[in-house]
């Protein structure tokens, strides 16, 4: 399979060995009335499905989908959730021993969003809000991890500052207690003291920087929490629209299934009527043949009776004539 440039990496590197296709063995042709965005998405999903090197039932069983659902997704009758896209991507990449890149995943997700926007705007808004909530939760968790790291760093730096200040005081005390030392020894004490003072002067600045980062991380965490709450309310408000759209899709699908069943029933009825007509024709033909054969049999019977009567008459005449000619 040749790589489709639409699956190519954004940095100009080689793309994944996938392509958008329409005709796949084991799958029927796509309906002519599919919206362009939906057709583009389904063609991409068919390409990924073909790349998995699995049959429809094998893929459904392996990834815990029902086979009819997979069939509907790959025929454009129903748009899947992102977990179906993730399963296709994972299976296709595994089959070709390639890594799933952000570009490949992003291309599939973009087509999914465009198809949702074209066919089910309410579900599109729900998906976008869910994606934003997922990102906000991730940001909150990252901020909380950063806060813990910064709190540990601030605590460590403060402990280090206290240790250096204690060490500086000890040097000052030792220097004061040993005033009779040589100038060289005193200079060593002073050098150690200057080093400790420099370190002590630098640490408050570092602690201040860490505390500022900590405060910013806490603000980021609080903002993420607020955003999560807002998105949860937004999701609650659009879920009703998405559920209504999903119900409309199911109703449309049920009506289509009913129409297909009605067409099939009509075809079967026509076939049954044709079979009944053929049976009626055969019965009439059989009746006519039986009538002809019965008439022929009756004629043969009548002819046999006539011959028998004639034979009886001739025999009677002969017997009468014989009686007359016999002498007494």
């Amino acid at each position: 399979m040749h790589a489709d440039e639409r699956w190519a990496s954004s940095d100009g590197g080689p793309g994944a060995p996938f392509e958008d296709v329409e005709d796949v063995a084991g799958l029927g042709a796509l309906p002519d009335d599919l919206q362009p965005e939906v057709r583009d998405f389904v063609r991409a999903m068919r390409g990924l499905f073909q790349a998995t090197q699995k049959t429809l039932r094998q893929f459904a069983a392996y990834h815990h989908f029902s086979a009819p659902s997979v069939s509907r997704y790959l025929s454009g009758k129903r748009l899947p959730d992102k977990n179906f896209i993730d399963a296709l991507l994972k299976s296709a990449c595994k089959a070709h021993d390639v890594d799933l890149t952000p570009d490949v995943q992003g291309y599939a997700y973009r087509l999914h969003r465009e198809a949702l926007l074209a066919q089910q705007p309410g579900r599109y808004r729900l998906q976008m809000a869910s994606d934003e909530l997922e990102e906000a939760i991730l940001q909150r968790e990252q901020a909380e991890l950063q806060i813990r790291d910064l709190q540990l760093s601030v605590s460590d730096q403060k402990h280090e500052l206290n240790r250096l200040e204690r060490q500086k005081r000890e040097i000052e005390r030792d220097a004061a207690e040993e005033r009779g030392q040589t100038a060289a020894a005193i200079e060593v004490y002073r050098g150690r003291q200057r080093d400790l003072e420099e370190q002590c002067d630098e640490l408050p600045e570092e602690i201040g920087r860490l505390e500022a980062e900590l405060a910013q991380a806490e603000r980021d965490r609080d903002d993420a929490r607020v955003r999560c709450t807002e998105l949860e309310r937004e999701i609650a408000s659009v879920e009703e629209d998405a559920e209504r759209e999903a119900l409309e899709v199911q109703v449309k699908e049920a009506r289509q299934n009913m129409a297909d069943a009605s067409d099939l029933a009509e075809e079967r009825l026509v076939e049954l009527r044709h079979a009944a007509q053929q049976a009626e024709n055969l019965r009439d033909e059989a009746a006519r043949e039986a009538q002809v054969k019965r008439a022929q049999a009756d004629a043969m019977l009548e002819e046999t009776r006539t011959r028998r009567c004639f034979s009886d008459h001739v025999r009677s005449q002969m017997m009468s004539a014989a009686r007359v000619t016999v002498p007494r």
Side-chain angles (χ1 to χ4, degrees), residues 164 190-201:
L164 291 174
R190 288 177 178 175
R192 292 176 60 190
Q193 184 176 5
R194 284 193 298 269
D195 291 340
L196 290 172
E197 287 175 350
E198 289 177 1
Q199 293 181 46
C200 290
D201 291 341

Side-chain angles (χ1 to χ4, degrees), residues 6 26 45 48 60 68 79 97-98 100 117 120 166 172 177 225-227 324-325:
R6 284 167 291 196
M45 295 303 98
L48 287 174
L79 293 176
D97 195 23
V98 296
L100 176 58
L117 180 60
Q120 296 176 263
R166 286 196 304 271
E172 292 173 349
E177 292 175 352
R225 284 176 176 173
V226 172
R227 183 58 179 157
V324 170
T325 58

Side-chain angles (χ1 to χ4, degrees), residues 30-76:
L30 293 177
D32 295 332
D33 59 351
L34 277 184
Q35 294 168 289
E37 296 85 354
V38 177
R39 181 177 293 275
D40 289 344
F41 170 69
V42 175
R43 290 181 72 250
M45 295 303 98
R46 285 190 168 206
L48 287 174
F49 172 72
Q50 181 173 270
T52 66
Q53 302 175 356
K54 290 183 174 67
T55 66
L56 188 146
R57 291 193 177 278
Q58 287 173 348
F59 178 85
Y62 187 83
H63 293 283
H64 307 291
F65 293 103
S66 70
S69 294
V70 175
S71 178
R72 285 192 290 268
Y73 297 152
L74 296 177
S75 65

Side-chain angles (χ1 to χ4, degrees), residues 7 9 14-18 48 89-105:
W7 294 97
S9 175
F18 311 139
L48 287 174
L89 289 168
K90 177 182 177 181
S91 186
C93 288
K94 182 178 180 180
H96 290 269
D97 195 23
V98 296
D99 294 330
L100 176 58
T101 65
D103 293 309
V104 169
Q105 188 179 55

